[in-house]
Amino acid sequence: MSTLIDGLSLGSVYALIALGYTMVYGIAKMLNFAHGDIIMVGSYAIFTTMSLCGFPLVAILVAVVVCTLLGIAIEKVAYKPLRGASPLAVLITAIGVSYLLQGIAQLIYGSTSKPVTIINMGNFQIGNSTVRVSSIVTLVVGAILMVILTLFINMTKTGRAMIAVSEDRGAAELMGINVNKIISITFAIGSALAAAASVCYLFQIPSTMPTLGAMPGIKAFTAAVIGGIGSIPGAVIGGVLLGVIENVCKSTPLSPFTTAIEFGLLIVILLVKPTGILGKKRREKV
Amino acid sequence: MALLEVKDLQVFYGVIQAIKGISFEVNQGEIVTLIGANGAGKTTTMQSIMGLIKPRDGSIVYDGKNITGMPTHKIVEMGMTQVPEGRRVFSELTVYENLLMGAYTEKDRSRIKEDIEEIYTIFPRLGERKSQVAGTLSGGEQQMLAMGRAIMSHPKLLMLDEPSMGLSPALVDQVFEIIKHFHNTGTTILLVEQNANKSLAISDRAYVLENGRITVTGTGKELMASEEIRKAYLGG
C-alpha cells in the first residue's frame, strides 16, 4: 500500500517533469535537455529563500518565478537564434545549457549536497502500513496541476493555439498566431511545472546538489518517450508508470536492477510501439 | 489602386533561384490568377508574400505599406491571409475550433459567433460536423473548412493556393462558386491554380509563371483566347 502510494507520488513528480519535455518537443520540435536542470535551479532557489527568510510558501513562490523566468530566458538566448537550424545544433546547445546551469550552481553553492527541508510533514497509518503525508501531498498537487494544464490547453485560446502550432507551424502563422510568443509561453509553463516538480521532489528527498536534476530529468524524458513524446496524457501515463515500477522494484529483491528495468521497459515499448503508448504517427509533410 | 504590389521579387532556396525577379499587382476588388506548371514558383511566390519565406530581393507592398520581411502574424493582422496548398486544417481540433483559430486576431466574441454561424450557412456540411475533429473530414470538407477558416479573419485580400487540387469535378465547381461568393462580398482574391480553365474564367486578370519568371499577362478572357496558353495550360 505505502509502496504503491510512494510510487504514484514519485510518478507524479516524473509526470510533472515529463510534461515539460513533451510540451516543448510538441511545440518547438526540440528536446530541451536542460529541462532537468531547471529542477535543480528550483531546488537552490528554495534552499536560498528558506535560509534567508524561512517561509515555505515564499520559497515555493520564488522557485516558481525563478524557474519560469529562467525557462523563458534560456529559450530567448540559446534556442531562439537557432530556429530553423539543424536539430543536432539545437540538441548540442541544450546539452551545453544543461552543463552551464550545473557549472553555475557548483560555482555558487559548491558541489556538496545541501539539506533543504521545506516542511516536515510526518506519517500516518492506513491499516498496517505507514504512509508519508508528503507522498499524498505530491500526488494531489501533481493531479491538480495536470488537470489545470489539460483544461488550459483544451479550453483557452492560447491553449488551442499551442495545439495548432504543434500540429502545423506554418498554418498556425497564417491564422495570425505569433509562434514565437507561443513557444515562449510553452517554455514558461514547462519550467513552472519543473519548479512544482522540484518542490515535490524535495518533499521526498530533502537535499540538493548541482547534479540533482540529471537523473530525474533522464527518467522523466524516458517517461515522456514511453508515453509518446508530444502527447500530454502520454507524459502523465509514462511518468506514473515509471514511478510505480521504480518503487515496486525497490521493495523487492530486484532492487539493484531498478534503473536497468526502467530503461529495459523503454526499449521493449519502443520495440513494440516505436511512437510510445499514446504517440501518433505523423505524416511527414513536404 | 493596387492593394498588393510585388516588385522584382527574388527568392532563393540555398543557391537555387526559385523566383527570378517577378513583378505583378492585384488591384482592390479584383480576382487575379497566377497560372503555371508544377515547380514554376507559384507557391513560393505566395509564401513570400505571406512572410513564410524571406525573399532575397525585391519588395512587397500591401495597402500602401512595405511588408517585405514582416512576420506572418503581423501580415495577417493587416488583413491578408492565405488558404494554403493541401488545406492544412488542424486535424486534432474540431471543425468549430478550426474556425475559432481562423478568428485568432479577432477580439469581439459576438462577432466571432456570428461569423461562425455565417460559415455554417455557406457550408452546411461544416455545421453538421462542427464537433467532429477535422482529421476525420473528407478532402472536400477539409477544403471547405480551410476556406471558411481563412475567411473568419475578414481578409481584405485572400490568397488561395490550388484550392481545387484533388477534388471531384462537382466539388471543384463548388469551390469556384465559393471563391466568387467571397469576391462578391468584397474580398479581393489572388488565386494560384493548375486548373487554368476554371480560374481564368472567373479572373479579371492573370499572370503566367514559368521557371520563376512571368512570361505572359493579360485579362482572363485574353489568356483563355490565346493559342499558346490553350496549348500549354488548357489541354488544347
Side-chain angles (χ1 to χ4, degrees), chain A residues 240-265:
Chain A
V240 170
L241 192 67
L242 212 60
V244 171
I245 289 173
E246 183 170 328
N247 254 30
V248 169
C249 279
K250 276 190 177 154
S251 66
T252 66
L254 285 172
S255 177
F257 303 105
T258 305
T259 309
I261 290 170
E262 284 170 289
F263 291 117
L265 176 75

Side-chain angles (χ1 to χ4, degrees), chain B residues 1 11-12 36 39 52 64 67 70 77 93-94 97 108 116 161 163 172 180 183 185 195 199 201 216 221 223 228 236:
Chain B
M1 189 198 108
V11 185
F12 284 75
L52 290 167
I67 59 161
M70 221 187 234
E77 270 172 36
L93 297 178
T94 64
E97 288 170 331
D108 183 348
I116 290 184
D161 193 350
V172 171
K180 275 197 270 180
H183 179 243
T185 50
N195 192 335
S199 47
V216 185
K221 282 204 185 94
L223 262 63
E228 208 182 323

Side-chain angles (χ1 to χ4, degrees), chain A residues 18-257:
Chain A
L19 283 169
Y21 274 110
T22 222
M23 282 171 68
V24 165
Y25 179 82
I27 286 154
K29 303 280 178 271
M30 65 161 289
L31 292 171
N32 178 19
F33 272 117
H35 188 62
D37 301 288
I38 305 266
I39 303 156
M40 174 273 294
V41 172
S43 71
Y44 278 110
I46 293 170
F47 169 76
T48 310
T49 326
M50 284 306 281
S51 48
L52 286 177
C53 79
F55 295 115
L57 263 179
V58 177
I60 291 169
L61 214 65
V62 168
V64 172
V65 172
V66 166
C67 288
T68 306
L69 294 179
L70 180 67
I72 296 172
I74 289 174
E75 196 275 322
K76 279 262 180 314
V77 175
Y79 304 146
K80 197 177 165 193
L82 291 175
R83 207 145 295 153
S86 95
L88 207 56
V90 184
L91 189 71
I92 298 292
T93 306
I95 294 172
V97 171
S98 163
Y99 281 119
L100 178 71
L101 292 177
Q102 290 181 21
I104 292 173
Q106 200 168 338
L107 215 60
I108 301 175
Y109 297 99
S111 55
T112 52
S113 74
K114 297 262 186 294
V116 191
T117 311
I118 305 178
I119 318 168
N120 264 321
M121 284 190 276
N123 306 318
F124 68 96
Q125 294 287 130
I126 301 181
N128 296 329
S129 48
T130 312
V131 177
R132 293 193 289 175
V133 178
S134 61
S135 291
I136 303 286
V137 172
T138 301
L139 197 53
V140 171
V141 168
I144 291 172
L145 287 176
M146 286 171 228
V147 169
I148 292 175
L149 180 70
T150 308
L151 290 177
F152 173 78
I153 286 180
N154 291 306
M155 305 301 226
T156 66
K157 189 172 163 179
T158 308
R160 276 192 294 263
M162 290 167 80
I163 301 178
V165 173
S166 81
E167 208 181 308
D168 188 333
R169 190 184 286 187
E173 286 191 74
L174 287 175
M175 303 297 107
I177 295 170
N178 182 345
V179 171
N180 281 332
K181 197 169 128 195
I182 296 295
I183 292 178
S184 235
I185 293 172
T186 307
F187 270 85
I189 295 175
S191 306
L193 291 173
S198 154
V199 172
C200 294
Y201 193 83
L202 291 175
F203 281 162
Q204 319 281 327
I205 303 155
S207 78
T208 186
M209 54 181 165
T211 53
L212 174 91
M215 208 49 188
I218 293 284
K219 293 270 178 73
F221 174 60
T222 306
V225 175
I226 286 177
I229 190 128
S231 156
I232 285 173
V236 175
I237 292 173
V240 170
L241 192 67
L242 212 60
V244 171
I245 289 173
E246 183 170 328
N247 254 30
V248 169
C249 279
K250 276 190 177 154
S251 66
T252 66
L254 285 172
S255 177
F257 303 105

Side-chain angles (χ1 to χ4, degrees), chain B residues 8 44 52 84 94 103 108 118 132 136 143 152 172 180-181 190 195 199 216 235:
Chain B
D8 194 31
T44 306
L52 290 167
T94 64
D108 183 348
E118 201 191 318
Q132 206 169 312
T136 61
Q143 185 61 47
M152 283 296 294
V172 171
K180 275 197 270 180
H181 172 81
L190 175 60
N195 192 335
S199 47
V216 185

